[in-house]
Amino acid sequence: GPFTSVKVAKEIKIKHPLPAFIGGESPWDLSFDFTLADIVAFLGSAAFSVLYFQKKHWVMNNVMGICFCLKGIEKFSLGTYKIGAILLVGLFFYDIFWVFGTDVMVTVAKSLDGPIKILFPRSLIPDAVTGKIELSLLGLGDIVIPGFFLALLLRFDAHNAKVSYFPTNVHAKFPKPYFHTALIGYIIGMGVTMFVMIHFKAAQPALLYLVPACLGSSLTTALVRGEMKALFAYSEEVEEENEKKD
């Protein structure tokens, strides 16, 4: 299209006398390239960011927070199911301690005014005293950490369906039993989290409910399909190396 066909590129390489352990390899590669679509996206993002810092509206906060989550999940890979499971179990106990054991996490989350959390209005009617809508919050970590795990399961589904890594076809259609069951588990776990939080009117460690939901759903799927060994043996590093060799 016209937005991607117009492209600007320039190669810039600068030699430096610094040792490799300080300055890295010489020359420094400062080359850049961008399209008209990149410029439009940058200007739109800049305008949105300025407006957010002026208004601090909860909807704009959520848009930025979701963008951070999507970018983080896109860029990070757990590597293996075992690493993902260990990470989730560790953060399960971490979240419980810092929410129930101390008030540090809740205090920090409430005091920091920025797109580090997703905000949910408890009521659309402003409080009579403060004049503000009462909001509940969900930390981005409760989206990103399970998101890493779900992305891993999606790639495991692609591996089982023999979908190639290189080149990757993002529009490829294939069965996604692990991803879908874990996604349903995540939705149920999040629903339980919100229900308990609103019912008891107290902060809840979301990973207390999300970790068993995500791990339980994926392990149950593997057990039913007889793929428990394959799930635990799956490694994205090996898969990527094999695809590059081919």
Side-chain angles (χ1 to χ4, degrees):
F3 282 99
T4 56
S5 60
V6 179
K7 187 174 182 179
V8 177
K10 187 172 181 61
E11 183 176 313
I12 303 175
K13 294 187 177 182
I14 302 175
K15 293 183 178 181
H16 66 83
L18 298 174
F21 69 91
I22 296 179
E25 294 184 0
S26 181
W28 287 329
D29 189 355
L30 304 179
S31 304
F32 63 85
D33 65 87
F34 55 85
T35 64
L36 182 59
D38 295 325
I39 297 174
V40 173
F42 174 77
L43 294 176
S45 301
F48 184 90
S49 300
V50 171
L51 190 60
Y52 163 74
F53 283 109
Q54 290 178 343
K55 301 295 184 181
K56 294 288 185 178
H57 195 278
W58 64 270
V59 173
M60 301 180 75
N61 175 91
N62 291 354
V63 170
M64 295 189 72
I66 291 172
C67 288
F68 291 149
C69 290
L70 292 174
K71 202 62 181 176
I73 294 171
E74 176 190 351
K75 293 294 184 182
F76 187 80
S77 170
L78 293 173
T80 68
Y81 182 86
K82 288 180 284 189
I83 292 175
I86 293 170
L87 177 67
L88 287 182
V89 171
L91 291 175
F92 171 83
F93 293 105
Y94 171 90
D95 208 22
I96 292 173
F97 172 77
W98 285 105
V99 174
F100 288 152
T102 72
D103 61 351
V104 173
M105 187 174 289
V106 177
T107 303
V108 171
K110 288 183 177 179
S111 60
L112 288 179
D113 188 13
I116 62 165
K117 55 200 172 187
I118 302 297
L119 301 173
F120 301 92
R122 292 189 178 184
S123 172
L124 296 178
I125 302 174
D127 185 89
V129 179
T130 62
K132 297 181 179 180
I133 296 176
E134 189 176 1
L135 299 170
S136 297
L137 62 89
L138 176 69
L140 296 188
D142 298 325
I143 300 174
V144 173
I145 299 301
F148 292 154
F149 189 72
L150 265 67
L152 174 75
L153 293 176
L154 179 60
R155 290 189 287 269
F156 179 65
D157 284 327
H159 167 76
N160 284 345
K162 309 299 181 184
V163 177
S164 65
Y165 266 45
F166 302 101
T168 300
N169 180 10
V170 296
H171 302 292
K173 294 182 179 180
F174 55 91
K176 306 177 182 71
Y178 288 91
F179 174 73
H180 286 152
T181 52
L183 180 61
I184 292 171
Y186 178 86
I187 294 172
I188 293 173
M190 185 59 69
V192 173
T193 304
M194 300 300 293
F195 172 78
V196 174
M197 181 176 63
I198 294 173
H199 181 74
F200 291 100
K201 297 181 179 179
Q204 296 294 314
L207 294 181
L208 170 64
Y209 309 97
L210 297 178
V211 170
C214 292
L215 281 179
S217 59
S218 59
L219 290 174
T220 301
T221 303
L223 186 64
V224 171
R225 293 171 60 89
E227 297 175 342
M228 190 72 74
K229 185 177 180 180
L231 179 62
F232 276 91
Y234 174 65
S235 172
E236 293 183 322
E237 288 87 352
V238 174
E239 183 77 12
E240 187 173 338
E241 289 177 3
N242 290 339
E243 286 282 348
K244 286 182 177 179
K245 288 178 181 178
D246 295 340

